[in-house]
Amino acid sequence: MLKFIRDPERIKRWMNLRVMLIKNLIPLDYPLIINVEPTNACNLKCVMCPRRFSNRKIGYMEMETFEKIINDIKEFGIVFRLFLQKDGEPLLHPELESMIRMAKAKRVAKMVSVITNGVLLSPKRARELIRSGIDDISISLDAAKETTYRQLKSSGSLEEVEENVRGLLNLRKELGRSKPIIRVRMVDLRENCGEREAFFKKWESVADFVEVIPFHTWKGAIEDLSPDGIPVCERYPCSLLWYTAVINWDGSLSPCCIDYDGAGIFGSINDRTLYQHWNGHNMEGLRHAHIAGCLEEVPFCRNCEYWRIKEDIGGWLKKKYASRINKGFNSP
């Protein structure tokens, strides 16, 4: 099993390789990673989630919209990763497995991934997911103790979700499959930081990956729940803007996955291709603002600190685009 997060040197080597890859690929004519939101509905009310502050309409992506996205990607080529998740619980979508099968059949991504809270991961659903061809499943547990789980999630049962995870692992073995890769994760919070070691011990010999994810406030929507407070450091451009695209359940596009309330929506997959949006003036203008350090002019990004979690390639980006900072980016 991979005890990735517990090995600082391995993390450092991995991040260095990741940065080298990204630098080698930028600028990208098409995103490297695409987040597609099957639904923004959810069956939990986690304290670290901003959904309760969102006025977005609750909905489910239609297969026609999803097929349009897949055909758009297919026309361009292949992306590294397709995430079927954003603001909701993807297993609430009744056609999730059909989406996965379509993406796999058309070979639009090297990896198709899902992040779930695991509540609906019954034996029947686990079998359907494995047979769909999904490459990677992350289950957000966020606690090692039942009391902490209920405090953070407002409902549900940690014992039941843990049983679902073990059932998924056992079923994968029973079916003789090497995939999906199965990860368990927790967001690092004041309420659960004392359980990190117990969380690792519980899962490190069971799951493929055990991950502790840094907390962020979703652009200031959530109070700072991090164990030691969010550190202050000099801001650098958010690298996500150069390699990740985000499509909401209704086909609208957001600049990044932190757009929980739709405040950053700038277009739709239904009016232009993803290629056109990715290279259009909205995304290019946002990238320019990050490089030029003009984020006071960008309300969507002003209060965000998610950039701290991503790789710092700000200095490299500024040098690469130095000639374009003063005159602005060209857009098709």
Side-chain angles (χ1 to χ4, degrees), residues 22 25-35 72-73 76 78-81 238-247 251-257 264 266-288 311 313 317 321 324 329-332:
I22 291 170
L25 293 173
I26 291 176
L28 288 160
D29 291 330
Y30 205 77
L32 192 64
I33 298 170
I34 301 177
N35 280 62
D72 188 306
I73 301 171
F76 183 83
I78 186 171
V79 299
F80 175 69
R81 197 167 200 169
C238 181
S239 59
L240 281 177
L241 299 173
W242 276 265
Y243 62 83
T244 302
V246 177
I247 306 173
S252 62
L253 284 95
S254 289
C256 75
C257 57
F266 62 89
S268 172
I269 197 71
N270 297 311
D271 58 45
R272 300 175 78 192
T273 66
L274 182 55
Y275 172 86
Q276 290 171 323
H277 282 296
W278 180 254
N279 294 284
H281 69 277
N282 288 297
M283 285 301 294
E284 285 287 81
L286 193 54
R287 293 174 189 128
H288 175 264
E311 51 280 311
I313 56 172
L317 283 168
Y321 292 102
R324 302 169 71 183
F329 284 20
N330 295 322
S331 59

Side-chain angles (χ1 to χ4, degrees), residues 48 50 187-189 213-220 222-226 230 257-258 304-307 309:
M48 58 285 198
V187 177
D188 201 20
L189 306 167
I213 310 299
F215 169 81
H216 64 94
T217 68
W218 295 89
K219 303 184 297 175
I222 306 291
E223 65 173 303
D224 187 357
L225 302 174
S226 58
I230 295 172
C257 57
I258 308 306
C304 184
E305 73 281 329
Y306 190 66
W307 53 273
I309 299 173

Side-chain angles (χ1 to χ4, degrees), residues 3-124:
K3 307 172 190 65
F4 190 32
I5 301 300
R6 287 166 69 94
D7 186 343
E9 285 304 312
R10 184 177 291 183
I11 294 173
K12 185 176 179 180
R13 289 195 300 272
W14 179 82
M15 286 300 294
N16 287 338
L17 286 171
R18 180 185 171 98
V19 167
M20 287 174 60
L21 173 64
I22 291 170
K23 287 181 177 180
N24 187 53
L25 293 173
I26 291 176
L28 288 160
D29 291 330
Y30 205 77
L32 192 64
I33 298 170
I34 301 177
N35 280 62
V36 175
E37 178 183 65
T39 180
N40 62 336
C42 194
N43 50 355
L44 293 179
K45 296 180 180 179
C46 302
V47 299
M48 58 285 198
C49 176
R51 290 185 69 260
R52 62 187 182 276
F53 302 115
S54 174
N55 292 319
R56 287 181 63 208
K57 179 182 177 181
I58 301 298
Y60 297 79
M61 181 172 282
E62 296 180 358
M63 285 302 294
E64 182 181 356
T65 302
F66 185 76
E67 186 172 11
K68 179 177 175 57
I69 295 167
I70 294 301
N71 289 338
D72 188 306
I73 301 171
K74 182 68 174 177
E75 184 175 341
F76 183 83
I78 186 171
V79 299
F80 175 69
R81 197 167 200 169
L82 178 65
F83 269 112
L84 298 181
Q85 194 269 343
K86 182 177 173 272
D87 294 331
E89 169 51 52
L91 269 64
L92 284 171
H93 198 296
E95 296 183 285
L96 177 65
E97 287 80 6
S98 296
M99 292 177 169
I100 297 167
R101 283 192 293 270
M102 182 185 294
K104 295 299 293 182
K106 296 200 175 185
R107 299 181 179 179
V108 295
K110 292 184 178 179
M111 290 187 72
V112 179
S113 304
V114 163
I115 301 174
T116 174
N117 57 38
V119 171
L120 299 176
L121 199 57
S122 64
K124 181 176 182 292

Side-chain angles (χ1 to χ4, degrees), residues 155-215:
S155 61
S157 164
L158 177 61
E159 183 180 2
E160 290 178 7
V161 176
E162 287 180 339
E163 185 60 32
N164 288 346
V165 177
R166 292 189 182 94
L168 176 65
L169 286 156
N170 291 336
L171 186 57
R172 183 183 67 175
K173 182 178 180 180
E174 177 187 316
L175 294 174
R177 304 288 186 94
S178 59
K179 289 185 177 181
I181 294 168
I182 298 170
R183 309 167 190 265
V184 293
R185 52 163 55 183
M186 64 185 291
V187 177
D188 201 20
L189 306 167
R190 285 195 301 269
E191 289 85 350
N192 65 12
C193 63
E195 298 175 25
R196 290 180 197 141
E197 192 64 28
F199 188 73
F200 277 115
K201 285 182 178 179
K202 181 181 286 190
W203 292 105
E204 64 183 354
S205 62
V206 180
D208 300 319
F209 283 84
V210 183
E211 302 174 341
V212 176
I213 310 299
F215 169 81

